[in-house]
Amino acid sequence: MFFIDTLEIEGLGNRSYLAGGRTAAVVIDPPRDIDQVIAAATRRGVRIAYVAETHVHNDYVTGGLDLARATGARYLVPAGASVAFARTPVADGDTMRVDEGLVLRALATPGHTPHHTSYVLEQEGRGVAAFTGGSLLIGSVGRPDLVEPRLTERLARAQHASARRLADELDDDVPVLPTHGFGSFCSSAQAEGDTTTIGAERATNDALTLDVDTFVARLLAGLEDVPAYYAHMGPANAAGPTALDLTPPERADAEEIATRLAAGEWVVDLRSRVAFAEGHVAGSFNFEGEGGLATYLAWLIPWGKPVTLLADTPELIAKAQRELVRVGIDRPAAAATGDPADWIRAGERLASFRRARFADLAGAREQGENLVVLDVRRASERAGGFIDGSVHIPVHELHGRVGEVPPGVVWVHCAGGMRAAIAASLLDAAGRAVVAVDDGFGAAADAGLQLTRPAPADPLPASPARK
């Protein structure tokens, strides 16, 4: 018998897997905070015999090297990957005995990267699971544009061939267990559902239902902006990440917080957007600890800029640290917890701004208020419809483009409220009068706001999965 445990990488939209038999197991694409992986193996009562990477990751810092060193496991890395540390290079067709009757077979599946490798778990010679990394995902495939722009089309074609190789070599009932596709920007589209099989993908996935030219054209047309921090992840993983340090940061008092702000450092408030709007340290930014913290903070912050964390509790600071080390933000400069009134110096006041709904925006427009509507969604979201007269600056570009926002009170919105809160905090810190629209975008039309809905630009026929 065999088992497969799914390990969610919270906040980044990825998964890792622990798979094995009675006494030993393999870990696929582990997160950097390896204590959770070791705990999962301990619960199963198995030894980690192998740690396997499907590719050199672009969206998070791997825990593979650290895990292999900590457990004595063999570290399997695709032979074509250029790395600066000792590992066991894996080539197409290589097999590794995991436990009695249980074998891991490497399957070259280039596309997401040139060296991408999937792993098929075989029991008594029959494939029982496919760990597909950034190759075949649930309803999509991994992005082909993260390595080198000149390789993008070639890798897109390789993705099509790799997906078909998986479908040709594996039975329909074999589970497909990808690393990406659950929120990660490494995926060309987000998964609909949590599980799939080769057979289900054969019937619905564009890579398996469209000819290569149509597939490539559709894939390339749908690619979105790449998070800025991705440029640092691949080199960090190729060099070999250092061991992480999750000890609590130094405590910052009000004077130190003010000094760090004055020095141009980032002070990040992890509290809810509701609490932040009601009262916060002037100049601080709001990235909710319960939201997409790692993705959006790492995307927006100038790389290497010191960051001080503020939160209600030490537990929220610790949770944030765990998320941030996964994207290479290793040590906060300092941290403070408790009452926000304690984060400001004597004689100073907490800053605040208004929150509202789309109905409030409609009312303000009807009354002729001097306002600016700022849409901070991604371009692909805006293409589905936007408020007439709104200005568009995606949230990940706003920090460098605040000066482009027209005069007036800025009513900022996204699709649900979280990114609008980030944007509102950036504008507030820049001295702009701001209102954060904390509402689902679907409420805009219901509120009577006039929307523009552009005609679809994609002339390609709909795939069978998406009609």
Side-chain angles (χ1 to χ4, degrees):
M1 294 297 292
F2 68 93
F3 71 87
I4 299 173
D5 291 340
T6 299
L7 309 175
E8 299 280 355
I9 305 178
E10 188 178 7
L12 294 179
N14 289 322
R15 290 178 174 178
S16 179
Y17 301 93
L18 174 72
R22 186 175 58 84
T23 63
V26 58
V27 179
I28 310 291
D29 291 341
R32 194 176 184 195
D33 43 335
I34 63 172
D35 56 324
Q36 296 183 341
V37 180
I38 293 172
T42 300
R43 288 192 296 270
R44 283 287 186 178
V46 294
R47 172 178 59 89
I48 296 177
Y50 296 95
V51 177
E53 303 282 9
T54 56
H55 59 293
V56 174
H57 301 283
N58 287 291
D59 62 331
Y60 68 93
V61 180
T62 181
L65 182 59
D66 199 19
L67 181 60
R69 288 172 173 170
T71 61
R74 289 177 63 188
Y75 191 25
L76 310 179
V77 178
S82 179
V83 296
F85 48 83
R87 90 287 197 201
T88 299
V90 177
D92 184 50
D94 285 352
T95 58
M96 286 66 61
R97 181 184 181 276
V98 177
D99 206 323
E100 185 176 354
L102 204 60
V103 169
L104 193 71
R105 177 167 62 94
L107 197 69
T109 48
H112 187 47
T113 67
H115 61 264
H116 191 282
T117 300
S118 298
Y119 297 93
V120 178
L121 187 66
E122 298 179 340
Q123 184 177 50
E124 306 299 344
R126 178 184 179 275
V128 292
F131 301 102
T132 55
S135 183
L136 184 65
L137 311 184
I138 300 178
S140 63
V141 295
R143 295 177 66 146
D145 61 328
L146 301 180
V147 176
E148 159 60 55
R150 291 171 295 181
L151 296 178
T152 297
E153 182 173 348
R154 186 189 312 171
L155 290 177
R157 292 181 179 276
Q159 279 289 49
H160 187 268
S162 292
R164 290 181 175 237
R165 183 184 182 192
L166 286 163
D168 289 344
E169 294 199 15
L170 299 172
D171 294 339
D172 279 352
D173 62 349
V174 173
V176 174
L177 303 173
T179 300
H180 302 317
F182 309 96
S184 168
F185 283 88
C186 269
S187 174
S188 60
Q190 297 313 308
E192 296 182 6
D194 290 329
T195 61
T196 192
T197 62
I198 290 291
E201 294 307 306
R202 191 192 308 279
T204 60
N205 195 301
D206 280 359
L208 300 175
T209 60
L210 300 178
D211 66 85
V212 63
D213 290 334
T214 304
F215 166 77
V216 169
R218 184 179 294 279
L219 177 63
L220 299 186
L223 295 175
E224 299 194 76
D225 291 344
V226 178
Y229 70 91
Y230 276 27
H232 306 280
M233 299 297 96
N237 286 323
T242 58
L244 75 166
D245 179 2
L246 292 175
T247 58
E250 294 184 6
R251 181 180 177 277
D253 59 16
E255 191 64 40
E256 182 175 354
I257 292 170
T259 299
R260 291 188 176 280
L261 281 169
E265 297 182 10
W266 277 38
V267 174
V268 172
D269 192 325
L270 303 170
R271 295 176 301 146
S272 74
R273 56 184 181 262
V274 175
F276 183 87
E278 289 177 349
H280 56 270
V281 177
S284 63
F285 302 138
N286 183 214
F287 291 80
E288 290 182 304
E290 300 300 331
L293 171 65
T295 294
Y296 284 100
L297 179 54
W299 197 338
L300 271 68
I301 192 170
W303 198 252
K305 178 78 73 173
V307 58
T308 295
L309 302 178
L310 309 178
D312 303 287
T313 66
E315 289 75 20
L316 187 53
I317 296 289
K319 180 178 181 293
Q321 279 186 263
R322 186 176 286 275
E323 285 198 44
L324 293 177
V325 297
R326 295 171 181 159
V327 291
I329 302 177
D330 281 11
R331 291 294 301 163
T337 58
D339 190 335
D342 296 331
W343 303 340
I344 56 175
R345 296 173 296 190
E348 294 179 334
R349 299 180 60 182
L350 293 171
S352 64
F353 54 75
R354 183 184 166 199
R355 294 169 53 251
R357 302 287 186 179
F358 280 111
D360 301 313
L361 172 58
R365 271 190 160 185
E366 289 176 2
Q367 294 171 19
E369 292 186 19
N370 179 28
L371 61 84
V372 178
V373 179
L374 177 62
D375 181 350
V376 296
R377 296 174 299 160
R378 295 188 299 276
S380 62
E381 296 172 283
R382 187 171 169 87
F386 57 87
I387 297 171
D388 284 359
S390 61
V391 175
H392 181 229
I393 303 177
V395 69
H396 59 272
E397 298 178 8
L398 182 59
H399 187 247
R401 298 177 60 188
V402 169
E404 298 178 26
V405 181
V409 178
V410 185
W411 289 63
V412 58
H413 80 85
C414 60
M418 182 194 74
R419 287 172 293 171
I422 295 172
S425 72
L426 296 175
L427 292 163
D428 176 73
R432 295 298 302 268
V434 64
V435 178
V437 179
D438 194 356
D439 205 356
F441 186 69
D446 295 339
L449 292 165
Q450 188 68 37
L451 301 185
T452 295
R453 301 185 186 277
D458 182 5
L460 295 172
S463 70
R466 297 176 184 175
K467 288 182 178 177

